[in-house]
Amino acid sequence: MARATVAALPAQFAGPAGAVVIRVEDFPPEEFMAELDLDDPFELSGLYEGVPLPEKSVMDQPTRPDTVWLFRRPILDEWVERGNVSLGDLVAHVTVHEFAHHFGWSDAEIAAIDRWWE
């Protein structure tokens, strides 16, 4: 579902998005939970790990690829709790949100145009 979402992005985004790794895990790794000061792994459905495109430099020496992480159990729980959205739409939403970070958008900028939680 996440790969289909990326493939459906407009061409100017799909190309650069193709260089990002998509990883799906049941829950966020402990290191992410600690870095974000989260106690409940169900609070995190996705995460972008990397350097946003506007901040990249040709002088950068990447140590690992930019990665969009999707966390299966939190996504599934949110899908069940909502009951008013398809699983595909929810996965697409989380995927697009995390790729927006790759393109340099902050959470506040994303929230200004995506009122998903309402």
Side-chain angles (χ1 to χ4, degrees):
M1 286 185 255
R3 284 183 187 18
T5 298
V6 172
L9 291 172
Q12 70 266 32
F13 297 108
V20 177
V21 173
I22 297 174
R23 290 204 46 189
V24 178
E25 299 288 339
D26 283 338
F27 288 103
E30 288 296 323
E31 66 190 60
F32 292 168
M33 297 295 295
E35 285 174 23
L36 297 169
D37 197 28
L38 295 173
D39 294 322
D40 183 357
F42 286 95
E43 291 181 46
L44 190 62
S45 56
L47 184 73
Y48 169 67
E49 181 184 35
V51 177
L53 287 177
E55 297 174 23
K56 287 191 185 290
S57 165
V58 294
M59 301 302 287
D60 288 343
Q61 293 296 318
T63 56
R64 45 180 142 161
D66 290 344
T67 304
V68 164
W69 293 80
L70 302 174
F71 305 116
R72 184 183 340 258
R73 290 289 310 279
I75 290 172
L76 289 172
D77 273 31
E78 182 177 344
W79 172 60
V80 169
E81 286 175 18
R82 282 179 175 270
N84 63 350
V85 64
S86 73
L87 180 58
D89 284 347
L90 181 57
V91 170
H93 168 77
V94 174
T95 301
V96 168
H97 179 100
E98 299 311 329
F99 271 94
H101 289 305
H102 173 65
F103 291 110
W105 291 43
S106 69
D107 278 327
E109 291 168 323
I110 296 166
I113 64 165
D114 182 12
R115 313 288 295 177
W116 182 259
W117 62 91
E118 292 180 346

